Amino acid sequence: MEYQEFIRGIQAAVEDRLGNDIQTKIQKIVKNNNIKLDGLIIMDGVGTASPTIYLNEYYHQFSLERTIEDIAEEICDIYEKSREGVEFDVDRFQDFERAKKSIAFKLVNREMNEELLREIPYESILDLAIIYYYIVETRDFGIASAVIGKEHLTMWDITKEELLMIALENTKSLLKPKMHHILDVMDKMEAASCREGRGMVREEFQYEEMIEEFLEDFDKKVMTVDMPMFVLTNEYWTNGAACIFYTGLLEQISQTLDTDLYIIPSSIHEVILLPLNEKIDMEELDRMIQQVNQEDLKPGEVLSHHVYMYRRTDKKLTM
């Protein structure tokens, strides 16, 4: 069965299971780093937030002899679970004085997201772009959210600069920063990789290969007990690389550790902090990052191909 026929078959099977009150549509969606996926959107007409369920991976499962009926049953189960208590309040979203309390920011690679950035407000910094999203709800397993587009600035009658100031102020309290020693992360790897969330749909978290790759290379060169590594993210471990632009956070960390810092952009969800050390070559770090991005991360998880540096003297992040 060809891919387009498979998509139509899944859509029909889902509609048949969920009944006449449900409508579905297939929409091409541009994800982070220009990853284009076919999303099945399920609508019940009462404003309940429902997931966009991406069908591309399901087609691969279908090619391995999984049936359309089995896949449709799983999709319906995801939809039903997503409806438990997640309400998208349209009135709140349209009223800026209420909506602004739930606006946050995250980081993406600017060059890899040129198509997306044409449609949304953003702020350039280094090789990154700060983009904005509205948090519908936070739970233990993740965040339900919606990206803010240019049309929302018009609806709210605000400027891009105002949006940036609001997001910078909000995010550090909505998504509190967390720093973990990397060995503690390794100990809890299995639990972390089972976290659910990433917006409306679970995506498997690929920490283990990435962190083990870094540890292996550093162990060969400069990694010792006197050179600790830390993982910086937020409490939901989702889009946590944004923490590097929380006002005053890197300054506080560097003062506490009494060292300038290398910031290794290990993914959009976290960064690795490493004390500055003359034994470490930045070009070699860049090569390591690029290798890990290519071999161990999903394409949509990549944040940058370059290491950053934070110096206490000028309190700036540089490449």
Side-chain angles (χ1 to χ4, degrees):
M1 181 183 293
E2 295 295 328
Y3 179 62
Q4 292 301 322
E5 185 180 357
F6 165 79
I7 287 178
R8 291 191 294 270
I10 289 291
Q11 185 177 15
V14 168
E15 290 179 346
D16 183 60
R17 280 167 170 75
L18 294 179
N20 296 331
D21 294 333
I22 298 297
Q23 293 182 321
T24 69
K25 66 177 180 179
I26 304 293
Q27 184 170 320
K28 184 75 71 175
I29 296 175
V30 180
K31 300 285 286 180
N32 187 46
N33 294 339
N34 202 34
I35 306 299
K36 297 178 181 178
L37 300 175
D38 293 297
L40 176 66
I41 300 173
I42 303 172
M43 301 161 288
D44 62 5
V46 297
T48 301
S50 64
T52 297
I53 299 168
Y54 300 104
L55 302 179
N56 307 68
E57 174 59 28
Y58 282 122
Y59 184 63
H60 173 68
Q61 296 177 20
F62 175 75
S63 69
L64 299 176
E65 300 187 350
R66 190 177 181 189
T67 66
I68 284 182
E69 290 73 19
D70 184 41
I71 294 170
E73 183 177 349
E74 178 177 319
I75 290 173
C76 291
D77 184 54
I78 292 171
Y79 167 72
E80 294 295 347
K81 288 179 179 178
S82 75
R83 300 174 74 235
E84 298 173 2
V86 181
E87 298 283 341
F88 186 84
D89 188 335
V90 176
D91 292 335
R92 176 184 173 87
F93 181 68
Q94 293 178 340
D95 180 352
F96 180 65
E97 289 304 312
R98 299 169 65 195
K100 68 180 183 180
K101 299 174 184 178
S102 299
I103 291 173
F105 76 91
K106 60 184 175 180
L107 300 179
V108 299
N109 183 280
R110 188 174 65 251
E111 183 177 349
M112 297 172 69
N113 287 277
E114 288 182 348
E115 183 174 345
L116 172 65
L117 296 178
R118 286 196 290 268
E119 307 298 326
I120 63 174
Y122 71 94
E123 183 73 20
S124 294
I125 186 163
L126 302 173
D127 60 338
L128 306 172
I130 292 174
I131 67 173
Y132 311 96
Y133 59 108
Y134 175 82
I135 296 177
V136 179
E137 184 175 84
T138 56
R139 292 185 173 185
D140 290 341
F141 57 78
I143 302 169
S145 64
V147 173
I148 293 173
K150 292 179 179 178
E151 69 276 12
H152 299 126
L153 297 188
T154 302
M155 179 180 72
W156 290 329
D157 191 25
I158 63 170
T159 65
K160 185 176 71 170
E161 291 72 24
E162 289 173 315
L163 181 64
L164 174 62
M165 292 300 102
I166 289 166
L168 288 175
E169 180 64 27
N170 281 353
T171 310
K172 61 186 179 184
S173 57
L174 291 172
L175 305 170
K176 293 180 175 60
K178 298 289 182 181
M179 192 167 78
H180 313 266
H181 194 285
I182 200 163
L183 297 181
D184 293 335
V185 174
M186 295 291 288
D187 289 340
K188 299 175 181 178
M189 193 76 70
E190 184 175 352
S193 68
C194 294
R195 274 174 130 20
E196 291 191 354
R198 298 301 160 75
M200 298 303 298
V201 181
R202 179 183 186 275
E203 296 177 8
E204 188 174 356
F205 221 170
Q206 301 282 335
Y207 290 121
E208 189 164 2
E209 297 89 344
M210 175 271 295
I211 291 177
E212 286 184 349
E213 179 78 21
F214 276 118
L215 286 179
E216 180 181 355
D217 284 346
F218 273 112
D219 184 63
K220 292 176 181 176
K221 302 175 181 69
V222 298
M223 183 65 182
T224 70
V225 293
D226 298 321
M227 185 179 290
M229 298 170 69
F230 298 91
V231 176
L232 177 64
T233 183
N234 60 40
E235 59 188 322
Y236 297 98
W237 220 298
T238 302
N239 296 313
C243 290
I244 63 176
F245 292 122
Y246 284 13
T247 305
L249 182 59
L250 289 182
E251 179 183 3
Q252 178 184 354
I253 292 172
S254 64
Q255 288 177 348
T256 300
L257 297 178
D258 192 27
T259 179
D260 297 336
L261 297 168
Y262 287 123
I263 314 292
I264 298 172
S266 48
S267 87
I268 59 174
H269 300 295
E270 79 293 311
V271 298
I272 294 175
L273 307 181
L274 181 71
L276 212 64
N277 187 296
E278 61 183 15
K279 297 179 182 178
I280 300 177
D281 181 79
M282 289 191 68
E283 291 185 1
E284 185 173 2
L285 272 181
D286 282 351
R287 287 193 293 270
M288 289 174 55
I289 291 168
Q290 291 158 19
Q291 180 180 351
V292 171
N293 286 346
Q294 182 176 1
E295 297 179 0
D296 299 316
L297 285 185
K298 293 180 179 179
E301 304 270 325
V302 173
L303 178 61
S304 173
H305 300 303
H306 305 285
V307 65
Y308 307 117
M309 183 186 299
Y310 180 84
R311 291 193 180 276
R312 291 167 290 172
T313 52
D314 54 16
K315 301 179 183 178
K316 289 184 179 179
L317 193 65
T318 59
M319 291 177 61

